Amino acid sequence: MGRVYRARDRRHRRTVAVKVLVDGRERGDALREARLQARVDHPAVLPVLDHGRVGGFPWFSMPFVAGSTLRAARPAMSLGEALRLVRDLCRAVAAVHRRGIVHCDLNPGNVLVARRGGRLDAWLIDFGIAREAGARRGTPRRFGTPAYMAPEQALAGDAAVDLRTDVYGLGATLYELAARRQPFPAATCEAVLARRLGDEAPPLADPAPDAPAGLDRVVRRCLAREPADRYPSAGALAEALDRLPVC
C-alpha cells in the first residue's frame, strides 16, 4: 500500500518519516489513512504533520522515530520490558477506540520502539486498513495480517470487525513476544486461518516456561474465538496486564 522514506523537512529543519501511498491513484479516498491517524491524540500514536501529492501519489509525514519495530527489538528486551510496552500499547489502542477507529492490523511489525533516556517507548503505526467502528461496507473482503487476524475478521472481513477484533491482535502480539513464535504457525495463510479456527494455541508454559503466572490466562482470553469471550476493550486488557507481577 505504501513506502516510507526518511526525509528532511527544510521548512522546520527536522527529520521526518514520509509515507507515500503507492496505490493512491487507484483509491477513492487516498488520504483516508492520514485522516484516521490524525484523529487520535495520544503520545504513543504518531501525529500527522503534513500531507500532499507528488507525481499524482498522495503522501503524509510523521515524526521520525530512530528505532526499530517491536518484533526486531524483542531479542534485546527482557520479557518484563516487552509486556510493559504492550500494556502501554493497549492504552494507545484504547485512545484509538475512543475516536471510533478499529486498527485491524495490530502486530509486532506495526509498533515502533526506541530507547529514550534509558526508557523504552513504543508508538503504534500503520492505519492503512483501519476501519471506523460500526461502519458496515457490505463486503466480506478478508484483510489484515493472517497470523494476527481474529476469526471474525478472517471469515467475514469488513462486516464483522469491532473493538474486540483489536483485542485479539493484541493477544496474538503478547503470545509472540512471550513465546518468540506466533500462536498458530503454519506454512501458508490458509493453513494459519484453518489452525486458528480449529485449534487452541499451545499453552505458553510450553514455549515460554519463564512467563509470569497469569499471562497464559490473559492471552487465552484475548485469543478466544468468540468476541464476547474476550476482554471487552483494550483498556480492560491493560488493567489485566497491570495485575501481572512483572508489570
Side-chain angles (χ1 to χ4, degrees), residues 48-245:
V48 173
L49 302 174
D50 202 353
H51 69 275
R53 285 183 177 269
V54 57
F57 293 102
W59 61 268
F60 63 95
S61 63
M62 302 163 281
F64 175 76
V65 175
S68 64
T69 66
L70 179 56
R71 177 177 291 117
R74 173 62 181 99
M77 293 183 201
S78 69
L79 179 57
E81 284 181 312
L83 295 181
R84 284 188 287 273
L85 284 178
V86 176
R87 179 197 59 195
D88 295 344
L89 177 63
C90 288
R91 294 193 170 116
V93 173
V96 172
H97 290 171
R98 285 195 294 272
R99 300 303 295 171
I101 300 165
V102 185
H103 188 277
C104 295
D105 201 15
L106 295 174
N107 68 74
N110 280 341
V111 180
L112 294 179
V113 175
R115 193 174 292 276
R116 301 190 303 181
R119 169 190 165 88
L120 275 175
D121 288 325
W123 294 265
L124 176 62
I125 60 170
D126 202 343
F127 285 69
I129 62 171
R131 299 293 189 262
E132 294 190 74
R136 290 293 181 264
R137 298 187 174 200
T139 55
R141 180 176 65 86
R142 183 183 296 167
F143 62 97
T145 304
Y148 307 89
M149 289 165 61
E152 67 275 10
Q153 187 177 357
L155 291 173
D158 290 11
V161 301
D162 65 16
L163 306 186
R164 296 164 298 181
T165 302
D166 280 348
V167 171
Y168 187 100
L170 289 165
T173 296
L174 274 169
Y175 190 100
E176 180 174 336
L177 294 176
R180 300 178 185 262
R181 47 162 279 190
Q182 295 167 350
F184 300 101
T188 67
C189 294
E190 294 302 325
V192 170
L193 298 177
R195 286 199 62 192
R196 174 182 297 110
L197 296 173
D199 300 338
E200 296 286 343
L204 272 178
D206 295 344
D210 61 334
L215 180 59
D216 185 69
R217 183 180 65 254
V218 169
V219 170
R220 286 188 175 281
R221 185 171 176 185
C222 293
L223 297 179
R225 289 193 190 95
E226 296 297 327
D229 294 332
R230 299 175 203 150
Y231 290 100
S233 67
L237 173 54
E239 292 173 3
L241 290 173
D242 268 334
R243 292 191 286 270
L244 295 179

